[in-house]
Amino acid sequence: MTLAVAPPGTDPSGTTLWRPLSRNDIDLLVRSLSHAYEVVGARERRGRVVLDRIDDPAELLLEYSPKVHSPKKFLFPNWEKLFRFRLGGKVLLESERAAVPRVIFGMHPCDLHAVQILDDCLFEGEADSAYRAKREATILIGVDCVPDEHCFCTSMGTDRSAGGFDLFFHRVAEGYLLQVGSERGEALLRRHAPQVASRPGEPPMPWQAKQTGTGLRFPFESLAPLLGEAYDHPIWKAVGEKCLGCGACTLMCPSCYCFNVEDRMDIDLEGGARVRTWDSCQFDQFTRVSGGSEFRANQADRQRHRFFRKYKYLWEKHQRTACVGCGRCSRECLARIAPTEVLNNLFEERALPALKSPGAEYHPQLADIVAVEDLTANEKIFRLRLDGPLDFSPGAFMAVSVFGLGEAPFTIASAPGSGAEIEIVVRAAGNLTRALHRLRAGDTVGVRGPFGSGFPLQEFQGKDLLLVAGGMGLITLRSLLHAILARRADFGRVTLLYGAKDVADILFRQELLRWHREGLLDCRFALRAENNGWGVLRGDVTKLFKDLEIVPARSVAAISGPAAMYRFTNPLLLRLGFSEESIYLNLERHMKCGLGKCGKCRINDICVCECGPIFPYSRVRHLKEAIER
Amino acid sequence: MKIAVQHLARIEGHAHLVVDTAAGELLECRLEIVESPRFFEPLLQGRHYSDVAPIIARICGVCSNSHTLVSLAASEAALGVRISTQTRRLRKLLAFGEILQSHLLQLYFMAVPDYLGVPSIFPLIQRQRELVSRALRLKKLANDICWAVGGRPVHPVTPCLGGFSALPAAAALQDLRRQLVAALPDLEQTVELFAGFEIPAFERPTEYLCLSGEPGYPVFGEAIISSDGICVRVDEYLEVIEEYCVPHSTAKFARASRDSYMVGPLARFRNAGKSLSPMARKVASALGLAANTSNPYLGLIARLVEVVHCAEESIHLIDDILLDGLRSEPLPTPNKGGYGVAAIEAPRGTLFHAYRYDANGCILNADCIIPTAQNLANIEADLRQLVPTRMHLEQDALTRELETLVRAYDPCISCSTHLLKVDFV
Amino acid sequence: MKRRIGFFDFTGCEGCQLTVLNLEDTLLDLLDLVEIVEFREVMSGSGGELDIAFVEGSICRPDEVERLQAIRARSKTLVALGACADTAGVNALSHFRDLQQLQRDVYGDHPTPAGRPRPLSAVVQVDCRVPGCPIDGQEFLSVLKALLMGKPPELPAYAVCVECKLAELPCTFDQGIVCLGPVTRAGCGAICLLGGDRCRGCRGMIDNPRAQPYDRILVEHGLSEADILREFRTFNMSGEKGQ
């Protein structure tokens, strides 16, 4: 309704006029209106309050809780003829007559809000002209309500209405105070209740907060995000299992308007009408497609759809709550499904962070030892099966527990993408590792992880790789190698420089030799022992830096070995032309918690288990503790 | 000559007519009732009183209101429930609506074709459309009474123990009254139509039985009377009426003072014709219906007289109801058992229901005697006397006369095979 | 050429046929549209080949089986008219009792042929139905119209609750009275509820009754399992096993 320059219902100074009127005035108004309009309001029938034609003003009820149909009954009626047609030769379309002028008394604030929602939905796009015709022909007169235990308008912000009505009767002790909401309302008043129109205004009564029986325990603005995260929540199944599919909720809802369209023939089968009737997303066959399948086939899906539509989809579209908290759906529901209950439950579960039981992050999962093999005299390789597949980058580590002896970090020696099984290499050096060595296939250990960040494989793609391993450092690089070889074509030349003490200490010897023979990588060994019997270079790994054919510009170096090694290899690499960003170091410390809390793995200002153990040299160059001792 | 008419047309329910004569002598004459028994007593046993009337109504579509009303009356007698004047009047109005509806259906749809020589009323739509329209108008009015008072003409919804679960709106009753007054010209023309029919002549006196006790023409009644001098209370019915099995019939037959007796419009007219409404008496006189007639064919005319009576009485009854105003009345919740018998003059004759309830309000046993079951022996006796006098007719013509006789009784076969006395041990 | 229709009845009360005859306002228009060639209750004579046969009543005896099969053979479309034909309706309550004993109780030693009442579909192919006890006259008309237009008649898939809510009636459960509305097929306009009674389920259940939530509601209202069964066992006996 467009407002004139001086808003209706105000005096020349713009102050809202609150004109007093009595029940008797209202009866006279009803009587006068009945000559020109069909007057509709709440009345009693068979012990129930219904919204129907008022023939005698004494029947009109003005205090009642929303036990009745909403004004949707008249603005968007259940049975509406869209047009008539006749068959035989030409099909003629006969348009329907214009809408009956009507006055609806007793619109509660919630129902006034609901009409706004219907306006949003039915006027957008191609406006629904049948609805528009009724809307324009219907005078809306608001009245205060009497909330009951099902109402929750206060939670939805619909307990009062600033507009959307032509007239509003506010209840006061001595009768009512009339507020005009539109020009049309003012004109109506002047013509049909001139004695009221001419009364001077009184001060408005102070706003009384409404007491509703139930409500949301959180602001309604949270509804859309709350639901957004709850699509798969089990609560929908629980609601669906209670639901009878009777459709009472949607039929009585003042903002529901889904409908079906069908043709009804006259008895002579020569003419008929196309009509629309209320339908419901809760009914069978609502979503049936030809072929018979229904794509919302059970009550859980249907109830979820109803909630999402009211509290999320329409809110996101129109920035207006599509539910007005009138409580009709829960009042009419035989199965006692109440939206406040459902939404409050969802909110309560979500409001607290996904709280694990205290200390849960320290609880290992149990893993079975699938296989144990000797790698060398001192090292064994264990294959462990976890609960589910593990996602990690090569270089990450697991914390492995032998209960009673403790927990220790072990680099994952296998490649990612191996499902639920991982491999670790254990050197028997202390109590725990010796205890591990005593375990067999079928035994159980505890595992936590994966922890740490590994090699950024994405950045290695298309590049040549120079891997440098010293002693047990190969374990980390083995994981990287497996990952590379799984997508060999994504990478350039791969060169591995491996320094160990003796032949017997070379880890994964067969594997490396096989790859070398297959041309997958260029593998060079250096052994410190004399008479290594293998014919490889004697010396430490730095010796292998000669005769390298590297193009540093397109290469990346990954080094894994004892910290002392880095002091020598790093300068060599830099001299070869590698940039500091393209040299990746595996810096290990004694990681205990794996969560960046215990403090044991800190190097200067970084925490290895959190930021590493794989670092680009540029990142750790300044760590005087790490390398530059 | 053998006449065997299977599934007699234009009666309610299924019956075969079998007549066998040879050399001028009647060898065999029977009305075979072949309707399947549905054993309604077992359907009732153990049921709560709130279920009894709705179940028992399903015995018959045409007289469901009569069954409902007498069932409620029997339950009320057994459980010690009294009804108000308003309830009594509304039930009587509903009974009138049903009698009108049933009689008009029989007169126009089942009997008229015989007298106009057509197989049904439908061919008359071309040549005598007004006759058919009139039949439909009158029948609709009768059904509208049933809609307004009973909620639905077939298997009513609103009558319940002690009263009604919903009352008609005063405006609805006012409208019915207007329509009843407006129907008088249609009734006059109906009388004229039947005045022109040639009713076959045939006399066979028998015992005529009906209810009595209320002032006026009987609908409900406290006593059973008959032309042979029976006068007992309704709950003594078993002392005067005896049912017996017959091999060719799934319905039992009945006898009272003689081997057979008649109930229905003609019996009521004979016993209580003086209590008919003024217009009905005029019509009876104009149509030559004498108080001592024993021509069963004249059951047709008695039925028409009752139509006029019910229409006129309904107007007065509605006036009485509206003058006092309709008031919502609380319904009883009885808390004891007992035995009760009630009777009603259904369209086709006297209908008895007797129930025994336990203290929880559940049926222990039930008994009903149906009007048509009481007439079956009489129909056969009439046929046995009629056939020899009509032997000169062609088979077709004879068959037609015999069928017309059966139709004059307006038998309701579905009812008669269903409620048979069962004693549960 | 007007379509030829016929009405037939077996073991039942004939209330459904009567409901068709009670369509006084529409009967003449109907007779402009179709030709009724057989309708024993109001017509003599039989009809030969039929386009649509409306059949009321349950099937109890061998001769009824034969008669129904003969009707089926000469009808293009066969419609079950009313609960007795559709589901055996009230007749099925006799399934509770021993049939031999029943016969003896009622008829003594006189034998009389009678079998368990069965719906039409137990004997012949039934093409569609008009449910209810009795049928709703308007629903009969819309089924007839659909058949005449060559489209399969559609009955509502939703429950009587819908019609009750549209009529703004109080819910019987609020007064502690149990009602079969939530699982019974709509289409009657909630006529019994309008009359102040509860729904007794005469139209049969919807195709997809939500049995578990409904049972729970019944139990919440204090019904034992025996009570729940008895509620259903007026018109819906045929839904039970073992018959």
Side-chain angles (χ1 to χ4, degrees):
Chain A
M1 324 283 163
T2 53
L3 299 179
V5 170
T10 58
D11 68 13
S13 71
T15 315
T16 305
L17 291 171
W18 299 79
R19 299 170 173 103
L21 82 167
S22 66
R23 175 66 208 227
N24 196 49
D25 290 325
I26 295 175
D27 285 354
L28 291 173
L29 173 64
V30 169
R31 212 181 287 284
S32 177
L33 285 170
S34 333
H35 299 307
Y37 297 88
E38 180 180 78
V39 176
V40 164
R43 51 178 293 186
E44 193 264 340
R45 189 172 71 209
R46 284 177 206 267
R48 185 169 159 109
V49 183
V50 302
L51 192 69
D52 211 345
R53 229 191 116 99
I54 302 287
D55 294 310
D56 174 5
E59 296 171 327
L60 177 67
L61 295 175
L62 287 174
E63 267 86 55
Y64 58 94
S65 49
K67 289 193 198 309
V68 306
H69 264 301
S70 64
K72 159 176 106 164
K73 180 181 178 186
F74 294 94
L75 291 171
F76 197 82
N78 174 35
W79 194 100
E80 181 162 26
K81 217 181 320 186
L82 296 174
F83 57 84
R84 273 196 55 82
F85 55 87
R86 290 203 65 75
L87 306 175
K90 265 199 325 206
V91 172
L92 300 171
L93 301 186
E94 301 165 17
S95 63
E96 275 308 292
R97 288 182 287 274
V100 169
R102 197 178 266 132
V103 177
I104 304 185
F105 270 84
M107 304 243 337
H108 292 159
C110 54
D111 287 336
L112 288 168
H113 281 273
V115 174
Q116 302 289 308
I117 297 161
L118 287 176
D119 286 351
D120 286 343
C121 296
L122 293 168
F123 287 157
E124 78 176 330
E126 178 103 24
D128 190 300
S129 56
Y131 172 71
R132 158 161 279 148
K134 290 189 183 54
R135 187 78 171 83
E136 287 171 359
T138 306
I139 309 271
L140 301 175
I141 300 188
V143 77
D144 288 322
C145 64
V146 179
D148 71 3
E149 68 274 14
H150 293 274
C151 297
F152 58 102
C153 51
T154 44
S155 301
M156 304 307 291
T158 53
D159 52 327
R160 51 199 300 211
S161 189
F165 52 83
D166 294 292
L167 297 173
F168 199 103
F169 299 155
H170 294 277
R171 191 95 177 79
V172 291
E174 321 76 45
Y176 299 87
L177 278 181
L178 172 72
Q179 183 188 3
V180 171
S182 71
E183 276 184 33
R184 185 163 72 169
E186 182 71 32
L188 203 80
L189 197 64
R190 294 230 171 83
R191 171 183 272 139
H192 294 277
Q195 79 285 14
V196 178
S198 57
R199 278 183 203 150
E202 287 191 0
M205 16 145 262
W207 168 247
Q208 299 283 337
K210 260 184 219 177
Q211 297 289 341
T212 54
T214 182
L216 295 178
R217 292 200 269 278
F218 56 93
F220 66 77
E221 291 91 343
S222 302
L223 279 167
L226 174 71
L227 286 174
E229 291 176 13
Y231 193 81
D232 294 311
H233 198 282
I235 201 169
W236 306 119
K237 184 155 177 287
V239 171
E241 277 168 6
K242 283 171 78 172
C243 174
L244 288 169
C246 71
C249 47
T250 51
L251 292 172
M252 301 301 284
C253 173
S255 60
C256 273
Y257 59 89
C258 287
F259 56 89
N260 191 23
V261 180
E262 54 192 29
D263 287 353
R264 302 225 177 132
M265 299 301 291
D266 300 334
I267 186 65
D268 62 4
L269 296 184
E270 281 173 25
R274 181 160 293 172
V275 307
R276 69 174 168 197
T277 57
W278 288 351
D279 207 337
S280 169
C281 55
Q282 302 304 307
F283 291 162
D284 294 331
Q285 297 177 347
F286 186 69
T287 57
R288 177 167 299 175
V289 294
S290 75
S293 55
E294 287 206 36
F295 62 89
R296 221 180 281 130
N298 59 56
Q299 291 313 122
D301 290 341
R302 293 169 187 170
Q303 282 291 330
R304 176 178 56 199
H305 177 75
R306 170 167 86 96
F307 275 79
F308 271 64
R309 189 144 161 86
K310 293 289 149 191
Y311 299 106
K312 181 178 194 299
Y313 302 150
L314 286 173
W315 161 263
E316 286 168 350
K317 222 173 180 204
H318 300 135
Q319 268 68 63
R320 199 198 296 276
T321 68
C323 164
V324 296
C326 68
R328 284 183 177 90
C329 56
S330 68
R331 202 175 286 113
E332 302 297 327
C333 180
L334 198 52
R336 290 199 273 266
I337 295 169
T340 48
E341 207 180 297
V342 173
L343 296 168
N344 282 336
N345 281 345
L346 272 179
F347 186 77
E348 257 128 51
E349 283 191 28
R350 187 200 158 278
L352 304 168
L355 197 58
K356 300 183 258 192
S357 51
E361 62 269 32
Y362 292 100
H363 298 175
Q365 62 164 287
L366 296 178
D368 292 328
I369 300 178
V370 174
V372 185
E373 259 179 55
D374 289 341
L375 272 185
T376 65
N378 288 326
E379 280 114 359
K380 288 192 196 223
I381 180 168
F382 291 76
R383 182 131 47 87
L384 306 174
R385 184 181 303 124
L386 277 57
D387 285 346
L390 214 58
D391 190 27
F392 62 95
S393 308
F397 64 95
M398 301 292 283
V400 179
S401 299
V402 176
F403 298 105
L405 286 153
E407 195 183 45
F410 295 92
T411 305
I412 304 176
S414 51
S418 320
E421 292 190 351
I422 57 168
E423 291 175 326
I424 56 171
V425 174
V426 177
R427 165 185 283 186
N431 287 335
L432 185 139
T433 44
R434 276 198 288 272
L436 269 172
H437 272 224
R438 286 196 288 276
L439 295 180
R440 299 205 167 358
D443 287 335
T444 307
V445 294
V447 296
R448 277 191 314 127
F451 299 123
S453 56
F455 292 101
L457 271 175
Q458 289 301 98
E459 306 196 4
F460 292 5
Q461 284 199 26
K463 301 231 163 111
D464 292 341
L465 283 143
L466 177 63
L467 309 179
V468 182
M472 281 190 70
L474 181 74
I475 299 170
T476 306
L477 294 181
R478 187 219 182 210
S479 174
L480 177 63
L481 270 171
H482 269 275
I484 289 169
L485 294 176
R487 288 156 37 202
R488 185 65 186 85
D490 286 354
F491 305 94
R493 293 182 52 206
V494 179
T495 312
L496 171 65
L497 308 179
Y498 185 9
K501 202 154 72 171
D502 203 340
V503 174
D505 299 318
I506 295 180
L507 298 167
F508 302 109
R509 196 172 67 199
Q510 300 306 333
E511 206 174 53
L512 293 173
L513 287 175
R514 176 165 50 91
W515 289 337
H516 182 86
R517 278 190 216 111
E518 286 173 14
L520 294 167
L521 65 92
D522 181 358
C523 192
R524 303 177 191 193
F525 298 92
L527 299 171
R528 288 196 297 279
E530 299 204 11
N531 303 329
N532 57 47
W534 225 31
V536 296
L537 187 70
R538 182 175 176 272
D540 67 45
V541 73
T542 52
K543 295 267 191 309
L544 293 169
F545 277 78
K546 291 205 207 11
D547 308 321
L548 280 179
E549 287 152 15
I550 309 271
V551 180
R554 62 158 194 258
S555 302
V556 163
I559 319 177
S560 174
M565 188 179 91
Y566 298 141
R567 258 187 281 141
F568 299 102
T569 55
N570 290 354
L572 281 174
L573 288 167
L574 291 168
R575 219 174 317 131
L576 275 174
F578 280 89
S579 67
E580 287 176 358
E581 293 77 23
S582 60
I583 300 172
Y584 288 84
L585 308 179
N586 179 18
L587 286 189
E588 290 199 9
R589 282 295 181 275
H590 187 184
M591 274 93 55
K592 198 74 192 157
C593 69
L595 300 163
K597 300 284 185 306
C598 67
K600 292 171 100 89
C601 67
R602 299 226 170 96
I603 309 174
N604 292 108
D605 61 336
I606 61 150
C607 186
V608 172
C609 70
E610 269 192 328
C611 319
I614 308 298
F615 298 95
Y617 181 52
S618 54
R619 175 86 174 79
V620 295
R621 185 173 173 282
H622 66 290
L623 293 179
K624 302 211 183 310
E625 288 181 348
I627 307 154
E628 322 288 342
R629 191 143 36 104
Chain B
M1 159 168 60
K2 191 153 180 156
I3 294 178
V5 181
Q6 304 252 328
H7 302 293
L8 267 171
R10 286 185 273 117
I11 61 169
E12 196 285 340
H14 291 269
H16 303 326
L17 180 61
V18 175
V19 171
D20 199 2
T21 66
E25 273 204 30
L26 181 65
L27 299 174
E28 182 65 63
C29 174
R30 48 179 205 273
L31 189 65
E32 292 184 345
I33 306 302
V34 294
E35 188 94 10
S36 299
R38 285 180 285 156
F39 304 114
F40 266 81
E41 283 80 359
L43 273 52
L44 282 184
Q45 198 206 12
R47 299 299 300 228
H48 189 253
Y49 63 76
S50 59
D51 290 337
V52 169
I55 292 176
I56 219 77
R58 268 73 186 179
I59 298 169
C60 182
V62 184
C63 34
S64 57
N65 286 293
S66 300
H67 279 289
T68 301
L69 293 176
V70 72
S71 169
L72 290 172
S75 296
E76 283 152 359
L79 298 170
V81 172
R82 303 178 68 84
I83 56 171
S84 67
T85 306
Q86 174 178 279
T87 296
R88 216 188 323 274
R89 284 179 179 150
L90 285 171
R91 285 186 182 176
K92 196 166 184 185
L93 182 59
L94 184 58
F96 282 152
E98 167 148 291
I99 294 171
L100 281 168
Q101 172 270 124
S102 171
H103 281 356
L104 286 163
L105 178 76
Q106 200 280 333
L107 289 169
Y108 270 106
F109 286 78
M110 298 178 185
V112 156
D114 283 336
Y115 290 94
L116 292 182
V118 285
S120 78
I121 200 179
F122 300 132
L124 297 178
I125 293 174
Q126 308 304 331
R127 313 178 242 144
Q128 296 189 55
R129 195 178 180 91
E130 173 50 31
L131 186 152
V132 183
S133 296
R134 185 191 333 137
L136 292 172
R137 267 197 308 274
L138 286 170
K139 198 162 87 64
K140 177 170 159 61
L141 174 54
N143 278 325
D144 281 349
I145 297 174
C146 299
W147 279 106
V149 183
R152 176 171 58 195
V154 176
H155 307 326
V157 175
T158 60
C160 61
L161 192 84
F164 283 83
S165 57
L167 293 172
L173 291 181
Q174 280 162 345
D175 192 53
L176 286 172
R177 191 205 191 277
R178 265 192 295 273
Q179 285 188 60
L180 282 163
V181 171
L184 293 181
D186 280 343
L187 288 174
E188 282 167 8
Q189 287 183 305
T190 308
V191 171
E192 288 210 17
L193 173 69
F194 278 78
F197 291 162
E198 206 173 297
I199 312 289
F202 170 68
E203 300 281 328
R204 186 187 147 263
T206 180
E207 184 177 16
Y208 301 93
L209 187 143
C210 72
L211 295 178
S212 136
E214 278 188 351
Y217 199 74
V219 177
F220 293 98
E222 300 295 309
I224 309 167
I225 58 167
S226 87
S227 56
D228 281 353
I230 289 177
C231 184
V232 296
R233 288 195 319 272
V234 158
D235 58 19
E236 294 170 308
Y237 74 104
L238 289 171
E239 290 169 34
V240 295
I241 294 172
E242 186 199 336
E243 282 188 304
Y244 58 95
C245 280
V246 166
H248 60 267
S249 166
T250 49
K252 288 186 179 172
F253 281 22
R255 54 178 154 250
S257 309
R258 312 185 190 188
D259 283 336
S260 71
Y261 64 97
M262 183 197 289
V263 294
L266 192 59
R268 293 192 282 257
F269 176 77
R270 280 194 52 132
N271 290 340
K274 295 196 189 58
S275 308
L276 282 167
S277 75
M279 275 197 316
R281 264 177 299 162
K282 271 210 225 62
V283 168
S285 162
L287 292 173
L289 190 63
N292 57 0
T293 180
S294 53
N295 178 357
Y297 285 100
L298 287 175
L300 191 75
I301 302 300
R303 197 164 296 121
L304 175 55
V305 166
E306 286 193 338
V307 167
V308 177
H309 167 83
C310 289
E312 187 176 5
E313 287 294 299
S314 296
I315 295 171
H316 299 310
L317 190 53
I318 290 175
D319 286 341
D320 288 340
I321 295 169
L322 288 175
L323 268 170
D324 277 356
L326 286 159
R327 254 184 301 275
S328 179
E329 291 171 342
L331 295 172
T333 43
N335 54 7
K336 60 183 171 86
Y339 174 72
V341 184
I344 190 175
E345 285 295 334
R348 291 163 186 78
T350 319
L351 169 64
F352 299 89
H353 279 219
Y355 302 138
R356 187 180 300 281
Y357 279 96
D358 68 19
N360 294 325
C362 295
I363 290 262
L364 286 172
N365 58 36
D367 179 27
C368 310
I369 304 199
I370 308 303
T372 299
Q374 296 168 77
N375 276 341
L376 289 172
N378 211 58
I379 298 176
E380 273 195 8
D382 281 351
L383 290 171
R384 245 179 269 118
Q385 186 168 312
L386 177 66
V387 171
T389 71
R390 301 290 201 269
M391 298 270 224
H392 57 279
L393 290 174
E394 291 282 336
Q395 175 155 343
D396 281 348
L398 174 59
T399 308
R400 267 199 304 279
E401 275 216 23
L402 299 181
E403 289 185 9
T404 306
L405 176 66
V406 175
R407 288 192 194 106
Y409 278 85
D410 183 17
C412 186
I413 309 288
S414 307
C415 284
S416 58
T417 40
H418 296 133
L419 293 192
L420 307 160
K421 181 173 168 170
V422 177
D423 282 322
F424 292 110
V425 176
Chain C
M1 243 296 270
K2 281 200 230 173
R3 237 69 70 86
R4 295 161 59 85
I5 70 174
F7 291 86
F8 303 89
D9 66 294
F10 289 89
T11 299
C13 79
E14 302 199 7
C16 293
Q17 292 177 95
L18 186 61
T19 304
V20 173
L21 291 171
N22 284 349
L23 291 168
E24 294 99 358
D25 286 336
T26 331
L27 206 58
L28 291 179
D29 292 323
L30 191 67
L31 292 167
D32 280 340
L33 196 63
V34 295
E35 199 186 329
I36 301 181
V37 298
E38 197 162 339
F39 195 156
R40 189 201 53 81
E41 193 174 5
V42 292
M43 282 172 69
S44 307
S46 65
E49 297 288 319
L50 293 169
D51 290 297
I52 309 173
F54 290 95
V55 182
E56 179 186 351
S58 309
I59 307 298
C60 294
R61 302 194 314 254
D63 62 288
E64 287 183 320
V65 172
E66 277 174 38
R67 190 153 68 89
L68 177 61
Q69 283 168 337
I71 294 166
R72 174 75 264 196
R74 61 184 168 102
S75 310
K76 292 209 187 83
T77 306
L78 191 122
V79 182
L81 195 72
C84 293
D86 186 25
T87 62
V90 192
N91 296 337
L93 278 173
S94 70
H95 291 200
F96 259 135
R97 306 293 155 136
D98 177 82
L99 200 54
Q100 313 273 35
Q101 184 60 46
L102 265 183
Q103 302 222 46
R104 258 198 304 282
D105 285 345
V106 174
Y107 294 110
D109 293 320
H110 295 131
T112 179
R116 293 245 178 265
R118 293 179 293 160
L120 304 183
S121 53
V123 176
V124 295
Q125 158 89 11
V126 175
D127 298 310
C128 58
R129 54 144 80 97
V130 184
C133 180
I135 58 170
D136 178 280
Q138 296 306 311
E139 191 168 46
F140 163 78
L141 284 176
S142 66
V143 168
L144 176 62
K145 280 190 276 187
L147 287 173
L148 293 175
M149 293 184 66
K151 60 179 187 184
E154 260 191 56
L155 298 176
Y158 46 82
V160 174
C161 288
V162 172
E163 294 178 327
C164 213
K165 293 296 176 201
L166 289 175
E168 294 179 272
L169 294 170
C171 181
T172 64
F173 282 94
D174 286 342
Q175 288 130 34
I177 297 172
V178 160
C179 171
L180 263 55
V183 291
T184 302
R185 189 186 298 278
C188 54
I191 186 171
C192 295
L193 279 307
L194 276 169
D197 193 12
R198 63 191 203 271
C199 171
R200 293 167 189 263
C202 77
R203 295 172 54 80
M205 295 211 264
I206 45 178
D207 296 322
N208 179 21
R210 319 299 199 261
Q212 269 160 339
Y214 182 63
D215 279 349
R216 219 201 20 246
I217 290 167
L218 293 180
V219 165
E220 271 168 20
H221 280 81
L223 291 193
S224 67
E225 189 170 324
D227 295 327
I228 293 173
L229 278 177
R230 197 184 15 251
E231 269 308 308
F232 278 96
R233 277 177 182 166
T234 307
F235 294 99
N236 287 290
M237 263 293 307
S238 65
E240 294 191 29
K241 296 196 260 282
Q243 31 153 42

